[in-house]
Structures are given as structure tokens and as C-alpha cells.
Amino acid sequence: MPEIRVTPLGAGQDVGRSCILVSIAGKNVMLDCGMHMGFNDDRRFPDFSYITQNGRLTDFLDCVIISHFHLDHCGALPYFSEMVGYDGPIYMTHPTQAICPILLEDYRKIAVDKKGEANFFTSQMIKDCMKKVVAVHLHQTVQVDDELEIKAYYAGHVLGAAMFQIKVGSESVVYTGDYNMTPDRHLGAAWIDKCRPNLLITESTYATTIRDSKRCRERDFLKKVHETVERGGKVLIPVFALGRAQELCILLETFWERMNLKVPIYFSTGLTEKANHYYKLFITWTNQKIRKTFVQRNMFEFKHIKAFDRAFADNPGPMVVFATPGMLHAGQSLQIFRKWAGNEKNMGTVGHKILSGQRKLEMEGRQVLEVKMQVEYMSFSAHADAKGIMQLVGQAEPESVLLVHGEAKKMGFLRQKIEQELRVSCYMPANGETVTLPTSPSIPVGISLGLLKREMAQGLLPEAKKPRLLHGTLIMKDSNFRLVSSEQALKELGLAEHQLRFTCRVHLQDTRKEQEMALRVYSHLKRLLPTLRTQVPRCCWCPGPTRMRNWGASLPHCSRRVSPRPLSGHTTHPGLWLCLATVPTRTWALTSAL
Amino acid sequence: MKLYCLSGHPTLPCNILKFKSTTIMLDCGLDMTSALNFLPLPLVQSPRLCNLPGWSLKDGNAFLDKELKECSGHVFVDSVPEFCLPETELIDLSTVDVILISNYHCMMALPYITEHTGFTGTVYATEPTVQIGRLLMEELVNFIERVPKAQSASLWKNKDIQRLLPSPLKDAVEVSTWRRCYTMQEVNSALSKIQLVGYSQKIELFGVVQVTPLSSGYALGSSNWIIQSHYEKVSYVSGSSLLTTHPQPMDQASLKNSDVLVLTGLTQIPTANPDGMVGEFCSNLALTIRNGGNVLVPCYPSGVIYDLLECLYQYIDSAGLSSVPFYFISPVANSSLEFSQIFAEWLCHNKQSKVYLPEPPFPHAELIQTNKLKHYPSIHGDFSNDFRQPCVVFTGHPSLRFGDVVHFMELWGKSSLNTVIFTEPDFSYLEALAPYQPLAMKCIYCPIDTRLNFIQVSKLLKEVQPLHVVCPEQYTQPPPAQSHRMDLMIDCQPPPMSYRRAEVLALPFKRRYEKIEIMPELADSLVPMEIKPGISLATVSAVLHTKDNKHVLQPPPRPAQPASGKKRKRMSDDVPDCKVLKPLLSGSIPVEQFVQSLEKHGFSDIKVEDTAKGHIVLLQEAETLIQIEEDSTHIICDNDEMLRVRLRDLVLKFLQKF
């Protein structure tokens, strides 16, 4: 029995380290290859030894697909391809291919240069890894090999994020990666056609949240930022360089313009500046409005937002700073945080320790930092909420759904909801746990046009609604299957048709003349079988003068149902071919096949 | 399968393919060479053009002098320029299901088709094709609408009058179908019917046909199309290039195994080498500037201009031209330059990797930044303040009949220091210049056409091996001007089928198979038997379901149990017509074994006689005669049904059933 098997190596009932193995019709595909933010040991990368203990990964995997450039989806890629060893194709979209190596390099720098880790992947490995990447267009059908094809759909979430359909024959799986079902200020909404996959693997970050309207969140954010700068405070917004940063920049930029504010907004240098450039060049991946107006005004050329210099942090007076990284665990955002945390006038949006209410933090060198600043947590991350997930499931109409990239408890809730409301079976395997789905693919064969047309033409007759039986012969040669009419099959294989006929002698006692007798039998049959065409043509080869034809007849006086085929072979109507011949003993012979 | 040919212009094609009950229009080219018969539309009142003498017949009859003007021996129509549309009468265009666009030059007739023929289908094109196509249309409409002309000449089109006119007006074809330019409103409405597609995207049409665009290497987003069903494949190759310029390289491999390959849009200047032409362009440009003259380059706002700017970017410093201003004047100049930078995915590999850095893919961004290249929507406004001479001006339209180029021709034409360099191959430069004669300025003709030449075509055809090639008739003979060059035509085996305007071709195609799916439950129930080594047969009796043009075979329903009353009646409706079809028989009966088998089943007193064609087996006791031949058996017995069935079953044991 054919089946689809799915095993998450990461992101099974968890957020981070996305890595899902899919086996479909004998093909093995790895979806995403991410790292886990929460770990610094072996657990930060997926356990690739699960795939194969000692064989080469290339022999086992047909391809790897990366959904978008976030490190929890691509962070383990150089480790996987260069250190574990994989030489097959890696598919991602163009923007992902452009931005992914930069984030990997950034990640490597923090790990190696700042934390001093040894045995980490090198810059050269990132380069070598990216050489294995094949870029895909949206909606392009990429033929990985003769049977396996993949297709990317727009996913929103971040620049270049894509959902992927993996298809072999009539079996298919859709993997969403991270996606967003509502368009925002710079990206569009995820979209997929009604592709009816066997399985939809969807993220479920916000499985239980129906987020309050986007507008409310934005108003809230702007109000808080505005209040802080009004009273002379500084606002620190830790962000990841790419993704939400651009959304918030556009939000603040338009607000500053509308309110005519003069308070400086800074953007931490390097990566983020570069990031905006990517957005300008990949403008076709942003939303409709930005695409339409970019000639007049490129939304990513900011008027109020300037590059940040380290010295600015000590400047007096209010300011807003976007700094990386977003989790405030290292780098510039942490430095600025240390400087500003002591002042309750300031505001920041930060990492989970502070978020959990902890007000005293132990820093490196046992310094204790007391947090007096206001801390606000605001989620602007562009994931689909429960409503969005349900909407996507409705769009794609899968046979079953599998949840990844979320917390187990929330997944459980969503699973129930999907199973109850959409009546679709739903799975949520943990890491290392395999879900097996039996499939029943139909078998494509070629039907001869003659046979099909004959059948379709009969479908046009009255009673077309009534299902009819199609008869034919399936010729199987290697993997080439063809369905043809039985006559054609015989002809093609060079087999002669074998005619089988019967002649029965029926004795009738009558004294009338032959001609008269024949007419009587004829009219008798015609009366008995009024719907049938009955003919009395001249018989060319029987000893007698006449023969009668009757199509599809059931002969009452034979007390059996006969529907043999005619001897002459030029027509395929089921029927009885009667030959009534008068012989000297007044015996009538009924000739028929079978 | 039929091909309706609506355009006679080989590089601006418009064909309709009827394939498996779909009607597919391939491209929508607009022949603008008709505009050459009209007087230019000057932006600024031109006394020279106003004072051209009216044309009169040889006998002095001057009734046409309002419509026709004479300039240096040529006669021009003094009216709003008109364009030659594709044939609209050959086939009812409202029946067209889809239009496939291959590149932005081949969609200029789209508003005429989608807005005025009752068309209700969908148009498919790539994003760059649509965006740049929109710019080309916008520019065209702008050029024509900003110089309103009261007069619309129609008298000369009268067939009897046209005969009396000098050539080329006398020989102009289909003048009655010539139309004035569309409006922006029509353009927007036409473009709203386009659905965007990406390369290698498979698009299903009504479940019967699949169409796929492939990169053609000629322009940003330019595509060839594959139109295929499961058993037939038509390739439509239109405007392809194998040269390495800015677009993504041509996808040749996917064109393999075509039954029919429709080949249009080859180079219009088969004798010119594009690289050589670019070199000539640069050196002539430098020479003119050094001598203190101005250079005018009539061009389209997108396409080759990007490559020219890139060449100049590398060339100007070495040629000492860094202080010379370059002007690009077009209502869509800014948009075109901006759009060129955002289509990273549609560019060649080199340019793509620049975007990954991230840097703009085209160096004209730097030319603009350093103020070497300036762009203006028109000669009015800012341009008049910034204008410095000597300079280089890129502007449209290449026909020299409308657009800002008309002004520069009038302005610079009188001085032999200035040069006009023709790079676009679409218009004959001599005809384009005719209404400006006599002209003192130098004219250089360096047509740059990167589309396939005949050597590349024959190599391509050898590689992709289509069964049949279909092309415009112009490609089946050498160009009229070079009739001895037998190498300037398509050479392939079998020879190509050619078409001309308003012709209908029946394509040599025999459809024999169609895809059908067998449901797994049905497949399980099939019993294959091996007839020959490697070939198995299975008899199939199934219910055919057809939905959305997809055919599925399902297992026949089990005979329903007779139920009571009303219900039974309904049940019997659903049960298919289960007449057991007589199987076909094959094989032959070995007489000896058959006789043994008869004996085993209790028949005695069997006699076998040989006949000319086989044997006769006589069962004397049962008064039965069995004639056995190579491929027929005839049983003649008494009216005894039991006996007949017994004999039948014995015979069938030796035969194969289908």
C-alpha cells in the first residue's frame, strides 16, 4: 500500500529548529533545516543521524527545500550540507537565496567571535553551501527529477517566504513554512490554489490566538512610543534585521510624517541598511500598493530614519532606536539596553527573561543590572492566527493536516478545531515521531481516442445520466499502460480473432411455401421483438434464399438469452445474427456466435 | 488541429491555434510600419511640415491635396497615424479562450482585440512583459494624444483612388482595416484581463490543455510557450535569443519532443552581427561628439537601450566622453529605468548575483547617480533648462513619426555635424527619414537585433527535433533584397509548412490517445495475463466518469439487491446497463488435445476428418459436427441447450478471452 511518511526532526510540537522529513511515493524530501534559539549545545541543530547512520545523506535525500530566511528555518544548513555532508539540490526562492547567507554569516559571527565556539561552520562553508542552492520562481514547476516536482506559493511572513507543494504523480504534500494570511504594510497575504494535497503541513505558532485587529496593535504601539518620546524618554526596539523591522519602520515613518515629529529615529547600522536595499531590489515580492507606487516613491527609502552610530546612545533627549538582534541576547541591542535600562523614562521591547517580570538581571562578570525602564512586549510577527490557518486549510482542501512549529498544548486545541469544523484528520507528531498516511493513488493510463469518443458519444444519448459500462483491454508493456478496444488490442498484438459460431436445427412442421414461411417467421419475430431491427436480406452464402438479422435479440422460442456478435465482424453491435435457411427437410437453422 | 494566421508580419505575429476544443491566440502583434506612410506629428509647430505642397494627380487633379502631402518625391498622408491590425474577420474573435503573450513587443494590438471583439477570455503573460508592455503602450498613447490633430484622412483609402497613388501608398495592404491608436482607458481595461505567470509554471486550460511559458532569452520576461496535452505537444517559439544580454538565457531543453514547432520572430537583419553593431554605435557616437555634434538615438523606452547604456557606461571614460550629457526622454523614461532594476529573477545569472550583494543589476543606476544620464518625461519643462550641447539623446519613437524624436530631427537635421543612429530594427531607416529630406545630418544604421539568426535556428532545430515546423512564408525563401543568399532561410527536414496573412493551416496531427485514470479499487480487481514476454493484457469493464474534462474509470457497482416498491425503481436507475459483452476470442484449437478433452468429458465415437482449412470433428452419437479452422470454430448441433453449453465451455478452454 503506498503511503506518505512524515517525521519532524525539529519543530514537532515545538517552535524552532524546523526540519521535517517527508517520504512520498519513494521520494525523500527534507523541509527546512533550522537551528534552535533556545539551545547552545547539540540540540540547537536537528539530529541528522536519524536520516542515515553511516550512508551519505545525498543518497538518501532527493532534495532539500528552505521556506524562508529566518534562522530557525535555515540556520543549520551549512552544518548539514558541509559538515554532515549533502551534495544534492537545495531549493529556495531568489530573495531567500540572497539574504540567507548574510544571516548565516551573522549567526556564525555571534557564535564564533562573540561566544568563542569551536567546531562551528566557517564562512567558506556558507559559500560552498549556497553553491548547492537552486533558486525557484513563484508558481514555477521545478522538476527535481522525472517524477518529483515542487512548486512555490507566496507566503507573506517575510520577504521571499514561500509555501511549497511537493508532488509525485497524483500524490502531493504542501508545506507552508511560516505564513501570514493578512496583508500588512509591506507584504501581501499568503495564497494557495485549491490543489487538494494528500497532506498539508502547516505551522501553528498562533494556534489558539485570534489576534485583535492589526490596527489596534499598531495604534497601541504608536501611542506608547509617542508617549515615551513626548516625556523625553528613549525607545529601544530590538528587532531582527529583516522582516518585522521594515514593517515597523514604515509604520513609524508614516506616523512621524503625519504627526510632524522631529525626534530622531535610528536604525542600527550594517545589516539593516543592507536589508532595506534588498527590499528595494525585490520589490516584486512586496504588497500590491508598494509595487504600484515604487516608481514615484520607494517605501524603503526612509526620510526620518537614519543610520545609528554607537555614540548616539549617550546623546541627551528622546530618540527611537531599532537595534539588532531581536531577542536582546547579544550585540548592539544588548549594549544599548544596558545603557538605558536604568532609567524609568525609557521604554524597550525585549527578551523573555525581562518579559517574565524579572527586574534584576545577572550579566557577564556577575554584574547585576536593575531594570527600571518600562518593558512592553508587542508581537508583530507575521504568522497566521487560528482563523488564518483554518482559512488556508479551506483554500487548499487537503485530505489531512499535520501541525508543526507550535506549542503542543495549543496544537491540541487547533487539532480539535480542525477535526471538528473542517472534518479533516489532523496530526501533531513530536520530534522523531513518524506519521504514516496510506494513500491510494489512481493509475494514469492512455485510452485510445476511438474508444473514449465512442463511449462519450453514448453518454450524449438519452439516459445519459445513467452510468454505463466501458469495456476494453488494458495493454501493459513495461511502464506504458494503454486502454484500447478489445479488437484493437488483438490487432496490435498480431492475434487473430477466433470466431465461434453455432448452428442449431429447429424443426418446424408447416406446409406453406418457403417464401411465405420465411415472411411469417420474420413478422413473428418482429412482433415479439418490436424494438429491434429485423432484416430479411438476401442471403449470399446460406443455402436458402433469405436471412434475417436481429440485433441484441432475445429469442423466446430458444428460451435463452443470446446476445452474440455478428459473424461479419464489421460492426460491433452486440446482437444475434440469425440465418434462416430452408433446407429440403424444412429445417430452419439458427446460426449465431456462441 | 488548425492554425489561423492573422498577421503577415513575421516578427509581430498573431496566430490562433485550435487544439482539443480550446482556442488559443498566440501573441497579439501590431504592425506599426503603416505609420511610415503618414506625416510626422511635430511637438512644436513646424513651418517646414506645414508648408509641404499638396499632392495632385498627373493630370493636375488636386482633389486629394488636403490629405496627401509631398516631400522630396515621397507622398505622405497628412493625418493621425494609423496602425495595421491583425485580421479580425478570419475567425470569430469572441470565441478565443486565452491569449498567450510572448514578449512586450508582441502585445501592442491587445486593446484592439480584448476591447472590440467581444473577447471574454484570459490573457497570460509574465510580470515584466506586462509592466514594460504597459510602458510601451503608455508612451505610444501619450505621443499621439499630446499632439491632437484635427484632420483624419480617409478619402485616399478608397480602393479606386488608392490605385492611382504612387507607391508605397499604392501597395499598402488592408488599408481599410487600419485603425487609430487606442486610448489609455482601453489600455488599462485590456491589461486588467492579464493573469501573471512565471517561467515553467503549468497552467491548466479547462482540464484539457496545459500551457507553460519558458524563458526565451530575448527581453525581460520574454517567453516561448509550450501547449500540450498528455500525448501531443506544440511549441510556440517567438522572439528568442541565444546571445548573452541582460535577460535570463533561453530554455531550449523543454522544447524537445514537439509534434509541431511554430517558429516566429527571427532576427529582421540576418546579416548584421549585434556585437559588431554595438561597437559601430559607440565609435560613431564618440566621433560625432568629438567633432562637436549631437547624437540622436531613436529608440523604444525599454529593451536594447539597457544594453546600450551598459556599453556606454564602460565606454565613456575610455573615450573621453565623461563630461557629455546623456538624455533619455520619454514619458515613461523614469519608470522604465526603475522597473529594469527590480526584475532580478528574470535576469541573466551575472546580473542576478549583483542583486544578491545587494547592488542594482544595471549600471545605469550609477550613471543616473553621477548625473551622467538624465531622464525627462518630455522636451518641455525641466529639460529645456538643463539642455546642453553637444549631447546624446535617446528618445522615441523609432518610426520618427511621433514622439520627441520628431522635434530633434527638425532641430538637428540641418547640420552635418549631428548624427542620427538607428539601432531599432523594426523600421526601414530610409523610409523613416523620408519626410525629413533633404537632410544634412549624418545617418548611421546599426540595427541591433538579438533574435535568432538562421544559423542558430538550424542548430536549434537539430537539437530539439520537432516533427513538423510551421513558420511565416518570409522564412522559407531568402530575403527579397538578397535573393542569392540561400543560407538566409529555414532549412529543415521535412521542409517547414509556411503561412501567410489570413491563411488557415491544418496541422499534421493525429491524436490517438487521451489520459484516463483508473481508480485504485478497480486496478486491484484487474487480472493481467502475459500474452507475450513483457506484454500483459487485462480486460477492463468499468464505469466511465467524466468531470471537468478529466476521465476516471471506476469499478462497476455491485448489482443492487431488489428492494421493495419505490426504492427499487430508483436503484435500477443507478445500476449501469450491465449487459455482459461478448468477449473477443483468440487463439486456435489443437485438434488432438480437443478430442482428448472431449473423450474425458464423456463423448464417445469421435471421428476426425481433415479438410482444406482445418478439421471436422464428428460426434456421431450426439449428431454433432464441429468445424475447426485456424481462427474459427463452428458447432452444428441439435437444439439441445445443455449439449451446446457443454461443448461451448470445452472449446473456450482452449481460447483466450478479451
Side-chain angles (χ1 to χ4, degrees):
Chain A
M1 193 70 175
E3 58 189 26
I4 294 173
R5 270 175 298 134
V6 183
T7 316
L9 296 185
Q13 303 183 3
D14 185 16
V15 177
R17 202 178 63 181
S18 282
C19 184
I20 298 132
L21 294 175
V22 173
S23 295
I24 171 170
K27 305 283 171 186
N28 297 312
V29 179
M30 189 167 103
L31 304 169
D32 279 337
C33 188
M35 56 80 113
H36 203 297
M37 304 259 190
F39 300 114
N40 275 326
D41 51 17
D42 283 351
R43 285 173 297 169
R44 71 178 158 207
F45 292 150
D47 179 13
F48 297 115
S49 65
Y50 178 93
I51 301 174
T52 168
Q53 286 293 335
N54 34 33
R56 285 158 44 79
L57 288 173
T58 317
D59 299 334
F60 184 80
L61 291 173
D62 291 282
C63 74
V64 173
I65 294 170
I66 302 295
S67 64
H68 64 284
F69 59 64
H70 276 155
L71 287 174
D72 60 332
H73 292 260
C74 70
L77 202 54
Y79 168 77
F80 163 77
S81 74
E82 304 311 306
M83 297 172 79
V84 182
Y86 168 77
D87 300 317
I90 301 168
Y91 293 96
M92 53 179 83
T93 64
H94 282 270
T96 309
Q97 191 190 359
I99 297 165
C100 182
I102 295 165
L103 294 188
L104 287 171
E105 182 57 33
D106 199 48
Y107 172 43
R108 192 196 67 81
K109 266 191 203 146
I110 290 175
V112 177
D113 301 351
K114 297 235 166 88
K115 293 186 188 157
E117 281 188 54
N119 200 22
F120 207 75
F121 53 77
T122 63
S123 298
Q124 188 55 43
M125 284 178 184
I126 299 175
K127 281 189 192 126
D128 292 340
C129 165
M130 293 313 290
K131 281 182 194 148
K132 297 170 186 170
V133 170
V134 182
V136 300
H137 290 247
L138 277 186
H139 302 163
Q140 173 190 12
T141 304
V142 180
Q143 214 70 45
V144 177
D145 57 33
D146 286 346
E147 289 157 334
L148 174 62
E149 56 181 48
I150 60 172
K151 180 176 177 183
Y153 291 92
Y154 190 78
H157 189 61
V158 288
L159 194 73
M163 309 191 271
F164 280 90
Q165 182 192 41
I166 300 110
K167 194 172 171 194
V168 183
S170 60
E171 293 166 77
S172 65
V173 171
V174 170
Y175 173 58
T176 64
D178 292 355
Y179 63 101
N180 188 7
M181 293 299 282
T182 43
D184 57 25
R185 270 160 211 276
H186 77 294
L187 295 171
W191 176 86
I192 194 161
D193 53 11
K194 203 174 282 309
C195 54
R196 298 196 174 96
N198 296 86
L199 178 67
L200 174 79
I201 304 175
T202 172
E203 64 131 332
S204 49
T205 322
Y206 290 136
T208 55
T209 338
I210 305 279
R211 284 177 298 167
D212 43 352
S213 88
K214 202 182 61 166
R215 199 170 277 234
C216 283
R217 259 180 300 143
E218 287 173 357
R219 204 179 318 142
D220 200 27
F221 169 75
L222 290 173
K223 200 175 127 211
K224 280 171 182 159
V225 171
H226 193 197
E227 278 169 8
T228 310
V229 294
E230 281 288 274
R231 60 169 184 263
K234 295 179 170 64
V235 181
L236 169 66
I237 308 170
V239 287
F240 288 101
L242 286 133
R244 293 297 89 194
Q246 281 67 29
E247 178 76 6
L248 294 179
C249 283
I250 295 175
L251 184 63
L252 278 190
E253 168 96 1
T254 38
F255 185 70
W256 251 236
E257 199 150 310
R258 200 176 64 216
M259 304 295 287
N260 203 11
L261 295 178
K262 293 283 176 269
V263 175
I265 307 176
Y266 297 112
F267 216 132
S268 70
T269 40
L271 199 51
T272 353
E273 238 178 323
K274 216 171 174 182
N276 284 344
H277 219 87
Y278 279 115
Y279 278 82
K280 278 188 233 164
L281 292 171
F282 283 110
I283 211 122
T284 51
W285 284 80
T286 59
N287 70 23
Q288 194 117 31
K289 194 181 156 204
I290 292 188
R291 275 186 356 229
K292 261 199 171 146
T293 56
F294 92 102
V295 176
Q296 289 78 43
R297 183 175 174 201
N298 197 322
M299 281 303 262
F300 299 102
E301 275 162 14
F302 300 112
K303 278 189 210 147
H304 298 272
I305 303 172
K306 293 170 196 84
F308 182 72
D309 187 289
R310 200 169 287 203
F312 294 170
D314 296 322
N315 283 1
M319 67 173 85
V320 179
V321 175
F322 287 95
T324 54
M327 290 312 280
L328 209 65
H329 53 275
Q332 209 163 27
S333 56
L334 185 63
Q335 284 170 15
I336 300 172
F337 177 72
R338 279 163 140 179
K339 277 198 180 131
W340 293 357
N343 191 336
E344 61 275 339
K345 268 206 286 190
N346 300 339
M347 186 180 92
T349 61
V350 273
H352 61 273
K353 266 189 201 152
I354 312 160
L355 271 179
S356 56
Q358 212 171 325
R359 278 321 209 169
K360 291 196 176 169
L361 296 176
E362 203 170 302
M363 309 301 275
E364 305 141 49
R366 303 223 171 148
Q367 270 178 299
V368 176
L369 184 68
E370 196 174 349
V371 181
K372 286 190 188 153
M373 79 195 294
Q374 289 181 55
V375 177
E376 301 281 348
Y377 173 74
M378 279 180 205
S379 164
F380 282 94
S381 65
H383 292 277
D385 58 5
K387 204 172 130 202
I389 296 170
M390 301 290 280
Q391 206 181 330
L392 187 87
V393 174
Q395 263 183 23
E397 281 194 6
E399 275 170 27
S400 22
V401 175
L402 189 144
L403 304 178
V404 294
H405 201 281
E407 289 162 40
K409 225 201 259 165
K410 295 181 180 174
M411 276 184 180
F413 174 81
L414 183 65
R415 169 162 84 168
Q416 213 180 2
K417 199 168 145 91
I418 289 174
E419 289 189 331
Q420 277 171 2
E421 286 181 23
L422 301 172
R423 312 227 166 263
V424 171
S425 52
C426 185
Y427 307 86
M428 40 174 282
N431 287 334
E433 192 183 319
T434 302
V435 170
T436 307
L437 292 167
T439 57
S440 51
S442 51
I443 294 148
V445 302
I447 183 169
S448 88
L449 216 55
L451 181 62
L452 182 68
K453 280 199 173 152
R454 194 166 80 204
E455 209 55 38
M456 303 264 288
Q458 274 162 354
L460 295 175
L461 297 175
E463 291 193 14
K465 286 270 168 65
K466 195 170 168 185
R468 296 172 25 86
L469 274 188
L470 174 146
H471 300 277
T473 302
L474 188 64
I475 306 179
M476 288 167 272
K477 190 178 171 187
D478 305 323
S479 56
N480 179 4
F481 290 18
R482 285 174 306 133
L483 183 62
V484 298
S485 63
S486 304
E487 294 92 338
Q488 196 185 337
L490 285 184
K491 213 164 135 193
E492 266 185 45
L493 293 170
L495 300 175
E497 190 187 337
H498 193 100
Q499 305 278 4
L500 181 57
R501 308 178 264 163
F502 299 95
T503 301
C504 292
R505 283 181 291 274
V506 181
H507 295 271
L508 301 171
Q509 292 303 322
D510 203 294
T511 52
R512 270 173 275 246
K513 282 192 178 151
E514 283 166 21
Q515 198 68 33
E516 207 179 324
M517 179 65 200
L519 276 172
R520 272 171 61 90
V521 172
Y522 168 70
S523 51
H524 177 69
L525 283 175
K526 202 167 178 179
R527 193 158 42 80
L528 280 173
L529 311 160
T531 55
L532 298 164
R533 283 186 289 136
T534 316
Q535 290 179 320
V536 194
R538 204 62 215 162
C539 187
C540 52
W541 54 272
C542 284
T546 52
R547 68 176 167 161
M548 235 180 247
R549 239 180 239 174
N550 234 320
W551 304 116
S554 134
L555 277 184
H557 57 272
C558 288
S559 71
R560 65 186 165 92
R561 203 181 155 79
V562 274
S563 51
R565 82 185 15 264
L567 294 173
S568 44
H570 66 268
T571 166
T572 50
H573 283 280
L576 166 70
W577 198 53
L578 280 182
C579 176
L580 274 84
T582 48
V583 287
T585 54
R586 302 237 163 188
T587 299
W588 294 81
L590 287 173
T591 306
S592 75
L594 270 194
Chain B
M1 199 168 76
K2 279 186 174 158
L3 190 71
Y4 296 73
C5 311
L6 311 186
S7 160
H9 196 300
T11 30
L12 297 167
C14 183
N15 295 317
I16 287 180
L17 179 71
K18 281 215 173 199
F19 180 32
K20 278 188 80 177
S21 71
T22 58
T23 306
I24 302 172
M25 180 180 274
L26 306 169
D27 275 332
C28 215
L30 182 64
D31 188 351
M32 291 199 264
T33 50
S34 55
L36 292 173
N37 296 302
F38 292 80
L39 271 189
L41 294 177
L43 268 178
V44 181
Q45 183 85 3
S46 158
R48 186 185 69 86
L49 287 172
C50 289
N51 296 329
L52 285 178
W55 180 80
S56 51
L57 288 170
K58 271 184 202 128
D59 57 9
N61 193 336
F63 72 103
L64 279 168
D65 68 346
K66 285 271 181 313
E67 291 200 351
L68 301 180
K69 303 280 174 186
E70 197 168 350
C71 174
S72 309
H74 285 82
V75 178
F76 297 95
V77 182
D78 186 14
S79 166
V80 185
E82 293 178 334
F83 307 122
C84 179
L85 265 58
E87 204 65 43
T88 49
E89 305 293 320
L90 191 63
I91 182 171
D92 179 2
L93 292 178
S94 67
T95 63
V96 171
D97 297 311
V98 294
I99 301 179
L100 309 180
I101 303 291
S102 58
N103 63 64
Y104 45 75
H105 286 300
C106 292
M107 62 185 282
M108 297 300 278
L110 200 58
Y112 294 117
I113 304 291
T114 59
E115 303 312 300
H116 300 290
T117 62
F119 172 79
T120 53
T122 313
V123 185
Y124 291 100
T126 63
E127 186 168 4
T129 301
V130 177
Q131 299 297 2
I132 297 174
R134 176 194 296 275
L135 297 184
L136 290 182
M137 291 180 180
E138 236 179 87
E139 190 192 54
L140 185 67
V141 173
N142 189 298
F143 280 164
I144 293 193
E145 284 185 354
R146 74 182 175 188
V147 194
K149 194 152 187 150
Q151 189 179 352
S152 178
S154 58
L155 205 54
W156 70 275
K157 286 187 184 178
N158 186 316
K159 273 214 169 79
D160 295 328
I161 296 172
Q162 201 198 347
R163 269 190 295 122
L164 306 172
L165 304 181
S167 77
L169 277 179
K170 186 172 70 178
D171 310 320
V173 287
E174 314 277 346
V175 286
S176 57
T177 68
W178 290 12
R179 291 283 174 275
R180 304 170 68 160
C181 188
Y182 32 73
T183 63
M184 212 47 220
Q185 197 187 357
E186 288 167 321
V187 170
N188 286 330
S189 168
L191 294 180
S192 71
K193 298 181 169 100
I194 298 184
Q195 197 165 322
L196 298 184
V197 294
Y199 287 150
S200 304
Q201 179 177 347
K202 293 178 179 170
I203 304 135
E204 285 276 335
L205 302 184
F206 318 109
V208 267
V209 177
Q210 196 180 58
V211 295
T212 310
L214 303 172
S215 174
S216 78
Y218 166 59
L220 272 175
S222 70
S223 23
N224 293 322
W225 289 85
I226 304 271
I227 302 116
Q228 63 185 341
S229 64
H230 289 280
Y231 293 92
E232 301 88 17
K233 177 170 173 179
V234 179
S235 296
Y236 175 61
V237 175
S238 165
S240 299
S241 174
L242 291 170
L243 298 178
T244 327
T245 56
H246 57 271
Q248 211 181 90
M250 177 180 176
D251 179 354
Q252 295 182 63
S254 308
L255 298 173
K256 280 184 186 166
N257 303 322
S258 305
D259 295 289
V260 171
L261 187 139
V262 182
L263 184 61
T264 65
L266 304 184
T267 178
Q268 301 187 71
I269 322 289
T271 47
N273 165 18
D275 282 332
M277 287 296 145
V278 171
E280 219 170 286
F281 168 81
C282 288
S283 57
N284 278 300
L285 183 143
L287 189 73
T288 308
I289 297 285
R290 251 180 249 131
N291 293 336
N294 299 296
V295 178
L296 178 64
V297 188
C299 63
Y300 291 115
S302 177
V304 176
I305 185 171
Y306 302 144
D307 297 312
L308 290 179
L309 288 174
E310 186 157 2
C311 287
L312 289 172
Y313 169 80
Q314 291 155 358
Y315 182 74
I316 46 178
D317 286 328
S318 64
L321 301 173
S322 36
S323 60
V324 178
F326 287 77
Y327 300 117
F328 177 17
I329 302 168
S330 158
V332 298
N334 185 27
S335 300
S336 164
L337 293 170
E338 288 286 341
F339 270 114
S340 67
Q341 306 287 21
I342 64 159
F343 291 125
E345 290 156 274
W346 309 87
L347 293 173
C348 64
H349 185 74
N350 261 344
K351 297 228 175 303
Q352 246 171 39
S353 30
K354 273 184 115 178
V355 174
Y356 289 178
L357 288 178
E359 275 172 24
F362 285 97
H364 52 239
E366 201 185 314
L367 288 174
I368 295 167
Q369 227 168 30
T370 53
N371 260 332
K372 284 177 183 154
L373 174 67
K374 292 184 184 175
H375 53 83
Y376 303 91
S378 86
I379 51 168
H380 301 300
D382 290 346
F383 175 70
S384 34
N385 303 328
D386 300 354
F387 186 42
R388 277 194 296 123
Q389 301 191 67
C391 64
V392 180
V393 171
F394 293 88
T395 187
H397 184 272
S399 65
L400 305 192
R401 291 303 178 270
F402 36 83
D404 301 274
V405 73
V406 175
H407 175 74
F408 286 101
M409 283 306 295
E410 293 285 326
L411 185 70
W412 289 343
K414 293 168 211 85
S415 164
S416 61
L417 283 178
N418 302 328
T419 307
V420 54
I421 308 182
F422 292 88
T423 56
E424 301 287 356
D426 287 0
F427 300 92
S428 145
Y429 79 106
L430 288 173
E431 282 183 51
L433 286 172
Y436 298 96
Q437 300 291 5
L439 206 60
M441 96 194 281
K442 256 188 294 182
C443 305
I444 308 286
Y445 184 53
C446 324
I448 299 168
D449 196 331
T450 57
R451 286 173 279 210
L452 296 175
N453 61 34
F454 290 100
I455 300 169
Q456 292 163 332
V457 165
S458 71
K459 223 176 119 192
L460 175 77
L461 291 180
K462 262 187 205 121
E463 201 153 306
V464 306
Q465 302 247 329
L467 290 183
H468 300 278
V469 175
V470 177
C471 67
E473 60 172 352
Q474 288 92 333
Y475 297 157
T476 56
Q477 61 219 24
Q482 292 139 309
S483 52
H484 61 287
R485 292 284 299 268
M486 296 307 282
D487 57 327
L488 300 184
M489 56 186 270
I490 293 178
D491 176 30
C492 67
Q493 275 312 320
M497 301 174 66
S498 69
Y499 67 80
R500 62 174 71 182
R501 188 176 166 115
E503 222 171 39
V504 183
L505 290 190
L507 297 181
F509 231 85
K510 188 136 177 58
R511 290 185 51 224
R512 294 172 61 199
Y513 287 98
E514 178 69 272
K515 190 185 147 183
I516 194 166
E517 298 213 327
I518 296 187
M519 294 295 281
E521 304 86 55
L522 177 63
D524 284 346
S525 71
L526 295 182
V527 191
M529 53 184 169
E530 190 160 16
I531 299 294
K532 289 180 178 174
I535 302 177
S536 305
L537 297 186
T539 334
V540 179
S541 285
V543 178
L544 173 71
H545 281 268
T546 301
K547 194 180 164 192
D548 297 339
N549 290 318
K550 302 264 185 236
H551 312 293
V552 176
L553 280 182
Q554 290 178 344
R558 289 190 196 90
Q561 296 299 316
S564 59
K566 258 188 181 172
K567 214 174 176 184
R568 185 173 63 186
K569 204 176 173 195
R570 289 201 62 177
M571 293 286 269
S572 66
D573 275 352
D574 295 341
V575 174
D577 214 350
C578 279
K579 240 180 278 154
V580 178
L581 199 85
K582 220 49 346 180
L584 279 190
L585 302 175
S586 176
S588 53
I589 297 173
V591 177
E592 278 162 42
Q593 283 162 337
F594 180 60
V595 170
Q596 280 168 17
S597 158
L598 283 173
E599 282 168 343
K600 223 160 80 188
H601 284 82
F603 291 95
S604 55
D605 208 1
I606 302 169
K607 248 174 90 180
V608 179
E609 282 172 22
D610 287 352
T611 62
K613 284 181 175 172
H615 310 274
I616 292 181
V617 179
L618 282 166
L619 307 179
Q620 286 169 327
E621 195 185 342
E623 280 187 56
T624 296
L625 190 125
I626 304 170
Q627 287 178 331
I628 299 176
E629 284 172 17
E630 175 70 29
D631 46 17
S632 71
T633 302
H634 191 173
I635 300 172
I636 301 161
C637 63
D638 261 338
N639 188 17
D640 177 352
E641 186 62 9
M642 288 284 284
L643 174 69
R644 193 191 72 87
V645 170
R646 268 173 76 201
L647 287 172
R648 181 193 69 185
D649 291 346
L650 280 174
V651 168
L652 286 181
K653 269 189 194 156
F654 292 94
L655 297 173
Q656 289 153 334
K657 277 180 265 182
F658 296 107

